[in-house]
Amino acid sequence: MENKKTENNYRKYIVLWLSQSVSVLGSSMTGFALVLWAYGQSQSAMSVSLMSFYNYVPYILLSLFVGGFIDRHRKKTIMLAADSIAAVGSLCVLALLSAKQLCIGHIYIVNGIVGVTSAFQQPASAVATGRLVPKDKISNVSGLNSFSQNLITVFSPMLAAFFFAVGGLPLILLIDLTSFVLAFFVLLCYISIPEQIEQKKHGSPFAGIAQGFAFLRQEKGILYIMMTMALINFFSRLTYENILSPMILARSGGDSMTLGAVNAFMGIGGIAGGIIVSIKRESRCKATAIYVSAALSFLFGDLIMAVGKNVFWWSFAAAAASLPIPFIMANQNAILYRKIPTAMQGRVFAVRNAVQYSTIPVGIILGGYLADHVFEPFMGYGSAAAHALEKMVGSGAGSGMAAMFLCTGICGFAVSLLSCFNREINKLNDF
């Protein structure tokens, strides 16, 4: 009887995964179109960086406080409410666009609202996954998630370009809203999430933070994983998930098709990694697998992106950077779901989001600033150091951002390898 219930919950998760993937596809199409729109308005890497910055700051700040709330309330209700508020943001963008009043400041505000909703939705979704998916399938499910996310990365730019040509940005926003409605009703009408709601009332929002950190003080290996991943996220956001689009556009003469191709190959690499993770056995040394995968991503992704000078090498680097990512996520999730008690997962996942992603806004804003005001001007000064770098990364528009990729590749690779030797992290290999 118990096995039948477990299988039924797993089937429901697959339906939830499919419907949420459709919704994310709509949102990704909108995001791609808005990046092109913002860069076209300002020709500034900083304008693109700020779009992500205003999304992550409220997300990280609120993540510190929402853990106890999530453990005490129904995950399904939290997910429905958060997704609905985010959809209202897209509806506001559509209304402003229709009234010819849309400006980049409005997008920053909407991204901030989406960041607030994500602070609730993501840990609630993570806990819901743990309720629906058997522990021995967590790694496989992580592979499925990586597969869908990267499939979206491949197709969303092409679909966005097609629908933009047909009906412009309003059509893309309508598709985004339609995909939300589909996912909303699937979750509302079909998915039931087993709940273990904690009835104890905390005295203040800080109680959940204290309890989450108290657990991590006992599980130092997990805390060190979060801290080292925060540093890895910083280097990643400085370049790959920040100035990649401006760099490709600058080095290709503003060719959106080239940018679309690079994004597509980034998705292809992630799809390949996701498929491998979803069908392979769990890694025996999960903690080591996290950092070896990260090191390979920096080595072959950032460094080749830095020295590449055409769409072939940029696409190869994008695929090489994204292929190891599913291995990072799968092994980290396998450790977390096994080590964190069910009743504590909301608080610990919320603290994890705050710690592990705390460096992302810094990387985003610093990356945009360094690109516009330090590295790009530096490569144009004609100094001896600039000429030396030109031999590796080339010259002209975008070469400064390419030099940034060189720096993050070296630093990220070094941090990843050094993390493999941490004693507390290595203890998790035996778990």
Side-chain angles (χ1 to χ4, degrees):
M1 187 68 179
E2 186 66 27
N3 288 339
K4 186 176 180 180
K5 183 179 179 181
T6 299
E7 290 176 5
N8 186 49
N9 284 340
Y10 187 60
R11 284 196 295 269
K12 286 185 176 181
Y13 175 79
I14 296 300
V15 175
L16 177 64
W17 166 68
L18 286 170
S19 62
Q20 291 292 316
S21 296
V22 171
S23 180
V24 173
L25 174 61
S27 299
S28 182
M29 288 168 56
T30 298
F32 182 81
L34 289 176
V35 165
L36 293 177
W37 182 86
Y39 190 74
Q41 294 286 312
S42 65
Q43 298 296 311
S44 168
M46 180 62 78
S47 67
V48 176
S49 299
L50 286 173
M51 291 174 67
S52 297
F53 178 80
Y54 283 111
N55 178 268
Y56 272 109
V57 167
Y59 168 75
I60 290 167
L61 292 177
L62 273 176
S63 289
L64 284 169
F65 302 98
V66 302
F69 178 88
I70 290 166
D71 282 331
R72 297 194 307 273
H73 294 82
R74 295 188 177 278
K75 316 307 174 284
K76 179 175 175 176
T77 303
I78 295 171
M79 293 167 66
L80 289 170
D83 289 344
S84 298
I85 295 170
V88 170
S90 295
L91 191 61
C92 290
V93 172
L94 177 60
L96 289 165
L97 184 65
S98 300
K100 302 187 187 311
Q101 297 295 317
L102 182 66
C103 67
I104 197 166
H106 295 136
I107 297 173
Y108 295 157
I109 293 171
V110 170
N111 280 5
I113 294 171
V114 172
V116 171
T117 62
S118 296
F120 290 88
Q121 200 272 351
Q122 289 191 11
S125 178
V127 175
T129 299
R131 301 282 196 271
L132 294 170
V133 178
K135 293 264 192 310
D136 61 346
K137 291 186 180 294
I138 289 294
S139 291
N140 303 102
V141 162
S142 294
L144 283 176
N145 288 330
S146 296
F147 171 80
S148 62
Q149 290 166 7
N150 287 286
L151 193 66
I152 287 166
T153 301
V154 172
F155 285 105
S156 61
M158 293 184 286
L159 290 173
F162 172 77
F163 286 116
F164 191 86
V166 172
L169 187 56
L171 178 59
I172 294 175
L173 288 165
L174 285 172
I175 294 171
D176 186 5
L177 291 167
T178 302
S179 67
F180 153 75
V181 171
L182 170 66
F184 181 90
F185 280 103
V186 167
L187 178 57
L188 178 66
C189 302
Y190 181 74
I191 306 298
S192 57
I193 300 173
E195 295 285 356
Q196 295 182 16
I197 300 174
E198 185 178 291
Q199 298 300 323
K200 180 182 177 181
K201 302 297 181 183
H202 302 298
S204 74
F206 294 96
I209 305 172
Q211 291 166 0
F213 276 110
F215 174 83
L216 292 175
R217 281 196 297 271
Q218 297 174 354
E219 298 289 346
K220 291 182 179 179
I222 295 178
L223 178 60
Y224 291 156
I225 285 179
M226 294 177 184
M227 294 171 65
T228 53
M229 289 303 299
L231 190 54
I232 288 170
N233 282 335
F234 171 73
F235 291 124
S236 174
R237 260 49 177 209
L238 270 177
T239 50
Y240 243 100
E241 299 180 52
N242 184 11
I243 63 166
L244 175 63
S245 295
M247 188 195 79
I248 298 299
L249 290 172
R251 306 202 86 177
S252 65
D255 187 353
S256 60
M257 294 299 292
T258 296
L259 176 59
V262 174
N263 283 331
F265 273 92
M266 185 180 296
I268 290 170
I271 289 170
I275 291 174
I276 295 170
V277 168
S278 65
I279 62 176
K280 71 181 286 292
R281 292 183 179 180
E282 286 189 352
S283 301
R284 294 179 62 183
C285 298
K286 296 179 180 63
T288 299
I290 292 171
Y291 295 104
V292 171
S293 299
L296 292 174
S297 180
F298 281 109
L299 180 64
F300 293 106
D302 290 55
L303 293 182
I304 294 176
M305 186 64 72
V307 300
K309 299 177 180 65
N310 55 55
V311 66
F312 172 82
W313 287 110
W314 297 329
S315 299
F316 178 86
S322 59
L323 191 147
I325 303 302
F327 293 86
I328 298 173
M329 302 307 300
N331 286 288
Q332 186 179 12
N333 285 337
I335 291 171
L336 295 179
Y337 280 110
R338 282 173 169 80
K339 293 288 286 183
I340 303 171
T342 301
M344 284 285 297
Q345 286 180 356
R347 276 159 286 179
V348 178
F349 275 116
V351 171
R352 186 277 302 266
N353 291 348
V355 172
Q356 192 162 309
Y357 305 141
S358 62
T359 56
I360 290 177
V362 180
I364 288 171
I365 202 71
L366 184 61
Y369 176 83
L370 290 174
D372 285 344
H373 302 288
V374 179
F375 278 86
E376 284 293 308
F378 171 76
M379 292 300 288
Y381 284 156
S383 64
H387 284 307
L389 283 173
E390 284 177 2
K391 295 178 181 179
M392 290 182 285
V393 303
S395 59
S399 60
M401 288 182 273
M404 290 176 63
F405 273 94
L406 188 67
C407 296
T408 57
I410 295 170
C411 294
F413 178 77
V415 167
S416 300
L417 282 189
L418 289 173
S419 300
C420 290
F421 298 99
N422 181 278
R423 182 180 303 175
E424 295 295 332
I425 290 174
N426 275 324
K427 289 179 182 178
L428 296 172
N429 282 322
D430 301 323
F431 178 73

